[in-house]
Amino acid sequence: MFDIGMTKMPEKVMKQTGDLTKAERELLETHPREGFEILRKYHDVSLVSAHCALQHHERFNGSGYPRQLRGDETHIYAQIVGLADMYDALISPRPHRKRYTTSEAIEFLFAAGGTYFDHELIKLFCSHISIYPIATMLLLNTGQTVVVVHNSELALHRPTVRVLKEADGSTPTTPYQLDLKNELHITIVKEL
């Protein structure tokens, strides 16, 4: 419901594959207010929910819109919604770019700490998502191709993996796993 104001945006703006014009950007930035106006009229929708629609594009440093709120001036629920919205936008393909991998999105969010979102909120958010979901294939710095078989709450970025291919391209004769939280010399190069 936080993005319900997008229903008021012209289809041309919604399907734009290139850069938006200044006028198109200004129009798009009205969707939080549009959403607030829609939701506040429903008595079975809380006013806090309407404010989440209004504030979900505000940023911690005041660079957001529509009111350039800073830090705690934005309701905590709207901060959570805004963070989840940005994460979803990053990991979803867009007409103008490919999707970010989960690990790239997490890296982006941590880099945005103190600017777009509070550092502590980002840490809390990331503790509740899987950076490398089960069955994600990865390439390691050792040249091995692996698949994620388990995630640890103690080290979300260091999963347990099963080796599918050795660095030379051969398949292991006996399947084995590596717990990357204990194998600190091994790093993840990329998702496959």
Side-chain angles (χ1 to χ4, degrees):
M1 291 189 334
F2 71 92
D3 245 351
I4 196 166
M6 293 297 275
T7 62
K8 298 288 188 177
M9 298 297 107
E11 191 172 333
K12 178 184 183 260
V13 172
M14 298 298 299
K15 293 188 175 180
Q16 180 79 301
T17 57
D19 290 338
L20 296 174
T21 66
K22 184 177 183 207
E24 289 169 334
R25 167 69 49 200
E26 287 172 356
L27 178 63
L28 184 65
E29 289 183 3
T30 66
H31 84 272
R33 286 190 193 278
E34 294 282 357
F36 174 78
E37 291 302 324
I38 292 168
L39 294 176
R40 76 182 185 95
K41 293 175 185 170
Y42 288 91
H43 298 294
D44 55 341
V45 175
S46 74
L47 196 53
V48 171
S49 295
H51 276 280
C52 286
L54 177 64
Q55 298 178 355
H56 76 278
H57 281 290
E58 299 291 353
R59 296 297 175 247
F60 195 71
N61 67 352
S63 66
Y65 60 89
R67 298 178 1 205
Q68 293 78 46
L69 301 178
R70 293 177 151 306
D72 292 339
E73 293 174 351
T74 304
H75 194 284
I76 185 64
Y77 293 169
Q79 292 179 49
I80 293 166
V81 169
L83 179 55
D85 181 42
M86 183 175 282
Y87 176 75
D88 179 61
L90 291 170
I91 65 169
S92 301
R94 293 292 189 250
H96 59 281
R97 67 159 172 79
K98 291 170 44 175
R99 67 178 282 282
Y100 283 50
T101 64
T102 306
S103 57
E104 289 168 335
I106 297 298
E107 199 67 36
F108 180 93
L109 291 178
F110 275 112
T115 303
Y116 292 157
F117 305 101
D118 178 74
H119 286 288
E120 293 304 313
L121 185 61
I122 292 169
K123 283 196 269 186
L124 181 62
F125 176 81
C126 290
S127 74
H128 291 281
I129 60 173
S130 179
I131 297 173
Y132 299 109
I134 303 296
T136 301
M137 291 188 53
L138 305 170
L139 176 64
L140 303 179
N141 67 332
T142 59
Q144 296 165 300
T145 301
V146 299
V147 64
V148 176
V149 295
H150 178 74
N151 285 294
S152 167
E153 289 182 21
L154 300 175
L156 293 170
H157 62 294
R158 308 286 297 166
T160 300
V161 297
R162 177 173 294 124
V163 177
L164 300 176
K165 285 187 181 176
E166 298 293 356
D168 64 6
S170 66
T171 304
T173 53
T174 305
Y176 68 99
Q177 296 180 1
L178 301 168
D179 185 346
L180 298 183
K181 79 175 182 313
N182 298 328
E183 304 286 344
L184 300 181
H185 64 286
I186 299 175
T187 60
I188 296 166
V189 173
K190 67 178 180 178
E191 290 182 34
L192 301 174

